[in-house]
Amino acid sequence: MDFQYTARHVELRNIARELAEKIMPYELECEQNNGISPEAHAVIKAAVLASGLQAITTPKEYGGAGLSILEQVIVQEELGKLTNVLWDTVWRPAKPLLFGTEDQKQRYLVPDALGDRRDAVAISEPTAGSDFSSATTTAVSDGNGGYILNGEKWFVTVGDVADFLIVLAYVEPDHQPTMFLVDVDTPGVKISKVPMFTHIFVYEHPQFLLEDVRVSADAVLGGVGNGLELTRDWFTEERISIAARCIGAAERALTHAVDWARERVQGGQTLINHQQIQAMIADSVVDITTSRALNHQVAWEFDNADLDDPAQRKRLHAKASTVKLAASEAAGRVADRCVQIFGGRGYMREYPVERLSRELRLERIVEGTSQVQRLIIANEVDKRGLTDVLNFPFPTEAVQS
């Protein structure tokens, strides 16, 4: 096994780091103004395109960077160091778009990848959060081959600037979970509320009402009845990206805390020479490095797996949950320690550690709560045993011998 970065890995890390450093100056503007100006967006978009890191999840033939999962993890770690979710200005089209028809890819995926359009995924509802199978949005035949959609969607990330929505609805009367492509200017689509959250995002997470929204048959994405499968597969990979961003955020917080601990003098010596501060720093190093090692391992497994094999997909589903659970909770601990090391300054919004502590709290909720991740892991252990969850994958011949 080779644990060294390749030259390409190092190159990607450096490109992502430079891009993050170009975006970082807009953090305080975003915090103070609840967003950034159109001029700032234009500068960032140009920087993203110049970096070649637009649409890292999208194949090159459709305008993306076409990175492997491990390469995406390396990039996401660096972008995760940005506060105010400014990493979301480095757009990544939702994976379900890859399962569209060629016409849908040309109309939606390609302009999305190039930054000319923006998607927003509308899955959660007032009564359907982590359990998206309980969604109640419906799609009924309009009698002409199309559908009429009705429902309410919550937490639609980037919904305030989206050009189109990817909507999970149930096709009735057979209750078939299905994804639909819905342009936001379609009659009957409207934002009903823009909630205020604990931390400041560069984009909003509005609530949408869909009232008698008419779409044609070619709005179906990935086939009727495949909505939940597409959602699960996408969430699996998203959880690895979330873990990577948590690791990057924790590293930035700890870097600031260590620099501060070397400078700040209390009790006649710098903070870093106090044993209790040393313990917090050491524990944070352990949290970050172990999370990174696990995340890289699972990303490598994804890149080398046969995703057409249902057993491998289920195993990786559990491993992605393991990574997301471990990294999000570890990053929360790191951020909390770093706030403590900064003392009163750690509670001031102008300091990155304060913003990171608020923002990292969300990662234990989005794309499945920590409790849901535990259920996924335990269910996999119950159904298929501990071995596949705990270990590296074995070659077939090794298992047989």
Side-chain angles (χ1 to χ4, degrees), residues 61 102 142 161 178 186 252 275 325 337 376-377:
E61 59 264 34
E102 189 60 31
D142 66 358
V161 297
T178 304
T186 304
R252 184 182 180 194
Q275 286 187 343
L325 173 65
R337 295 185 196 112
I376 292 170
I377 297 162

Side-chain angles (χ1 to χ4, degrees), residues 119-140:
D119 71 81
V121 180
I123 294 176
S124 297
E125 298 183 4
T127 58
S130 294
D131 179 17
F132 42 79
S133 65
S134 62
T136 60
T137 297
T138 59
V140 299

Side-chain angles (χ1 to χ4, degrees), residues 199-220:
H199 69 81
I200 305 298
F201 298 82
V202 65
Y203 302 117
E204 301 287 2
H205 296 60
Q207 298 169 9
F208 277 84
L209 283 179
L210 306 174
E211 298 179 325
D212 294 329
V213 176
R214 291 181 176 270
V215 296
S216 58
D218 64 2
V220 173

